[in-house]
Amino acid sequence: MNADRLLAHYERIADAPDAIARLRRFILDLAVRGKLVPQDANDEPASELLKRITKEKARLVKAREIRRPKELSPLDDRELAYAVPTGWTVAPLDALSPRSLCDGDWIETKDQSEDGGVRLIQLADVGVGEFLNKSARYITEATEVRLNCTRLAVGDVLIARLPNPIGRACIFPNIGQPAITAVDVAILRPDSNVSAEFLVLAMNAPPISAQIEAYGKGATRFRVSTGHLKTVQIPLPPLAEQHRIVAKVDELMGLCDRLEAARAGREETRDRLAAASLACLNAPDPETFQADARFALDALPALTTRPDQIKRLRQTILNLAVRGKLVPQDAKDEPASELLKRIAKDKARLVKEGKAKRQDALAEIDLDQVPFDLPNGWAWGRFPEVGTFGRCKSKHRPRNDPALFDGGEHLMIQTGDVARSQGVIETYTSKYNDFGLSQSFKWPKGTLCITIAANIADSGILSFDACFPDSVVGFIPASMFQNARYFEYFVRTAKANLLEFAPATAQKNINLEILTQVLIPLPPLAEQHRIVAKVDALMALSDRLEASLTATAATRRRLLDALLAEALAPVHQRNAA
């Protein structure tokens, strides 16, 4: 193992997304390859251990304490993928214990009892190298006797025959009560010739896990049979070296625990500082906002180290935008109140000309109930006041409706298309023909779509003409707005508040009337254009930052891959490199 190079680059790889987990697997990989501790020529060879186990197995068969084991299937295609050191041997798992590997017991629900005194150990209790002690199922001792169950002994090795991961193993500890296992947990009872601790770390090591994974079968319930588990090839060192390996693995896993805790502490501190910085901007104090903004801008690059953290940054940008904190106000801009008057006048003209339907009057806005104070020149508006708003009148059709076919003229989107849009809807679920649909039901390109069922309050702007079901609401802003970008940004900031209106039912949805009453902070038109331009620029910057963080994480992962591969390479290959 070339540990020096690994340590030299530790700072660069420590923050790779799965660095600690990879290091843990790497330690186990080294352990079963004989690369973790030095060999000692004075150790009794592992082949002698197998001879003693075979002798003990024969004694137990002769004494009729166990059945004569079946011959294992040929091992031609199940050889270990690497050579083991001198003094080691390779043997099938079933050869490492005088008593054969066996299944747990088939315990049906009718056989279980809450008042039983015998614990039923299940898959959830078996972790990777640790007993998780999660289940709470029991049977009575009378049922245990009636079903002829196999009672566990402290120190038994438990092996999970189902994911995740398949083949994971742990040692059964003293839980203070008798216990058996479910059928999907296999039991191996090693004797003094094999360390149970070494056997567990070997079962969880990548080379052995890969063998077990290859033997797994089943589409709905992927599992490995006990028969296949018996033939899994285990690299076995001398007994003294087994103990040295276990001690070294414990030491290194303890180091990994400390590294993981330190990393978690760093991430928690970063997250708290970033959250505090962004919270000051999301709920700004007018007296301290400028100082808070400067601190956030200075600190966030250092605090933002993961791609997933960019989401909060984007949300903060949008929150600032709709509160008038992103660009300066200009006293020369026409106030938003005048804009609303012009829109109302234009709507009245269209109604008079018969080009639009008269809308129901909205209740007066209670200024005592507004969520926050607006900057000078801004005004509160609502969707019906600033554009065309409502549902597509077409009937929702099931997927097997004869009206659906590829040659249809009307594109049809669904809530999932809006959820995946990230602001712009570029995909559609299906095409419709003209069966029962008229052109008046097709919403034009540029329409803002808002979901009111399933993925509530997701939003996106159509990049093509389309229809949509009743679970989606459309909004076309008045012509003077040019596009719906500002309103789409607003909906993203309002999503959390809108979710509060959804009833606690299996099929969550919000009423259309709720969206009708939503208060929109409306800036002067000129400022709205400046806001959209600024948001677009900052979102592009966020995209580049996210891409940079993603690339950095990928680089760290590739470096870690290279270092681990180098450490596992044979000595002559490393020297040649």
Side-chain angles (χ1 to χ4, degrees):
M1 174 185 179
N2 191 349
D4 291 340
R5 280 176 56 79
L6 192 64
L7 293 174
H9 292 282
Y10 176 75
E11 290 299 327
R12 293 180 61 191
I13 63 173
D15 283 328
D18 56 351
I20 304 301
R22 294 286 306 279
L23 286 174
R24 291 185 190 278
R25 293 195 297 271
F26 177 60
I27 290 166
L28 297 180
D29 206 338
L30 292 176
V32 297
R33 293 172 185 267
K35 294 174 177 286
L36 201 60
V37 299
Q39 280 72 51
D40 188 335
N42 296 320
D43 289 341
E44 179 188 42
S47 57
E48 296 301 316
L49 304 179
L50 291 181
K51 290 178 183 178
R52 289 203 292 273
I53 294 171
T54 301
K55 186 176 180 181
E56 176 62 11
K57 188 172 291 193
R59 185 191 71 76
L60 293 173
V61 170
K62 187 175 182 180
R64 297 188 176 181
E65 293 186 32
I66 63 171
R67 295 179 180 179
R68 184 178 299 279
K70 296 180 180 179
E71 291 292 329
L72 297 178
S73 57
L75 304 176
D76 294 344
D77 61 339
R78 300 180 187 178
E79 295 181 357
L80 202 62
Y82 57 88
V84 296
T86 302
W88 290 43
T89 192
V90 178
L93 179 62
D94 203 49
L96 302 186
S97 171
R99 299 178 184 272
S100 288
L101 180 76
C102 66
D103 279 334
D105 296 293
W106 182 266
I107 307 298
E108 297 183 75
T109 303
K110 64 182 179 62
D111 296 320
Q112 298 175 27
S113 171
E114 293 182 0
D115 301 325
V118 180
R119 170 85 172 273
L120 175 61
I121 303 303
Q122 297 181 286
L123 281 167
D125 296 310
V126 183
V128 179
E130 61 176 331
F131 182 75
L132 300 178
N133 204 22
K134 286 185 175 181
S135 68
R137 301 284 183 91
Y138 301 88
I139 65 170
T140 64
E141 291 192 14
T143 300
E144 179 189 19
V145 173
R146 175 171 60 84
L147 297 177
N148 193 27
C149 298
T150 301
R151 181 170 287 196
L152 291 175
V154 174
D156 281 350
V157 174
L158 306 181
I159 305 170
R161 298 200 295 112
L162 271 73
N164 268 324
I166 192 170
R168 64 191 183 279
C170 69
I171 294 175
F172 179 66
N174 184 354
I175 62 171
Q177 64 184 135
I180 63 171
T181 76
V183 70
D184 289 322
V185 179
I187 310 164
L188 187 69
R189 186 165 295 169
D191 68 356
S192 58
N193 291 287
V194 176
S195 162
E197 290 80 5
F198 174 81
L199 192 52
V200 164
L201 71 84
M203 292 297 294
N204 293 320
I208 315 306
S209 294
Q211 283 189 63
I212 298 172
E213 185 81 20
Y215 301 152
K217 292 182 179 180
T220 54
R221 296 202 78 195
F222 187 69
R223 68 175 73 226
V224 62
S225 69
T226 304
H228 278 134
L229 274 178
K230 289 180 178 181
T231 65
V232 169
Q233 299 297 285
I234 305 294
L236 187 69
L239 186 59
E241 189 173 346
Q242 290 178 41
H243 294 313
R244 293 197 300 273
I245 289 172
V246 169
K248 189 64 174 179
V249 167
D250 287 346
E251 175 190 342
L252 294 174
M253 289 300 180
L255 175 60
C256 285
D257 289 341
R258 294 193 293 276
L259 293 174
E260 195 165 40
R263 176 177 173 175
R266 291 195 306 272
E267 291 298 323
E268 183 181 357
T269 300
R270 284 172 179 160
D271 286 345
R272 282 203 312 269
L273 288 173
S277 298
L278 296 178
C280 292
L281 303 183
N282 287 328
D285 181 339
E287 295 183 1
T288 64
F289 177 75
Q290 294 299 330
D292 292 340
R294 279 195 299 271
F295 175 79
L297 291 173
D298 290 341
L300 280 176
L303 300 177
T304 306
T305 58
R306 304 191 312 270
D308 62 280
Q309 293 171 320
I310 302 299
K311 182 178 179 180
R312 290 182 299 182
L313 180 58
R314 290 194 178 100
Q315 193 64 38
T316 298
I317 292 168
L318 297 177
N319 290 343
L320 293 173
V322 301
R323 284 167 170 77
K325 300 290 185 181
L326 202 61
V327 299
Q329 280 73 51
D330 188 335
K332 298 177 182 179
D333 291 341
E334 178 192 44
S337 57
E338 295 301 316
L339 177 63
L340 288 172
K341 291 177 184 177
R342 284 200 288 128
I343 296 173
K345 185 177 180 180
D346 192 50
K347 282 176 172 284
R349 179 184 60 79
L350 292 174
V351 169
K352 187 175 181 179
E353 294 174 358
K355 297 179 180 178
K357 293 182 179 180
R358 186 179 301 279
Q359 296 178 333
D360 295 334
L362 297 174
E364 290 291 328
I365 295 174
D366 185 352
L367 294 179
D368 292 331
Q369 300 297 319
V370 296
F372 51 85
D373 293 332
L374 294 177
N376 291 333
W378 287 48
W380 292 105
R382 286 165 289 194
F383 283 114
E385 296 174 318
V386 292
T388 304
F389 182 70
R391 285 193 179 102
C392 184
K393 302 294 184 182
S394 59
K395 180 182 177 182
H396 176 65
R397 301 181 186 281
R399 292 182 182 275
N400 61 353
D401 192 293
L404 282 167
F405 72 105
D406 286 341
E409 297 177 6
H410 288 65
L411 302 181
M412 184 76 175
I413 67 166
Q414 304 286 354
T415 54
D417 299 321
V418 183
R420 292 187 295 269
S421 70
Q422 296 184 330
V424 180
I425 301 173
E426 297 180 324
T427 61
Y428 56 90
T429 298
S430 57
K431 289 186 178 181
Y432 270 37
N433 68 357
D434 283 330
F435 180 72
L437 296 174
S438 72
Q439 288 291 85
S440 62
F441 296 144
K442 189 193 297 185
W443 289 76
K445 175 181 176 180
T447 297
L448 171 60
C449 299
I450 307 170
T451 59
I452 59 173
N455 304 296
I456 297 174
D458 282 333
S459 57
I461 298 174
L462 285 174
S463 62
F464 47 83
D465 297 350
C467 299
F468 37 79
D470 287 348
S471 56
V472 179
V473 172
F475 169 71
I476 304 172
S479 59
M480 58 275 293
F481 289 113
Q482 296 181 5
N483 59 57
R485 295 278 287 286
Y486 175 82
F487 299 98
E488 199 276 327
Y489 290 152
F490 163 73
V491 173
R492 290 199 228 172
T493 69
K495 181 179 174 73
N497 294 331
L498 291 171
L499 288 174
E500 294 178 4
F501 291 100
T505 58
Q507 180 61 43
K508 291 185 176 295
N509 60 79
I510 56 176
N511 192 292
L512 177 61
E513 295 305 313
I514 293 172
L515 277 180
T516 300
Q517 299 298 327
V518 167
L519 296 178
I520 305 170
L522 196 64
L525 189 57
E527 185 175 347
Q528 185 184 130
H529 294 160
R530 296 197 298 272
I531 289 172
V532 169
K534 188 68 172 179
V535 169
D536 288 349
L538 292 174
M539 289 300 179
L541 180 62
S542 297
D543 291 343
R544 292 196 294 274
L545 179 56
E546 184 176 29
S548 174
L549 292 174
T550 301
T552 298
T555 299
R556 287 172 175 158
R557 190 179 288 112
R558 286 196 299 271
L559 178 59
L560 180 59
D561 289 344
L563 291 170
L564 297 185
E566 179 187 14
L568 287 176
V571 174
H572 68 276
Q573 290 184 13
R574 294 205 302 269
N575 291 339

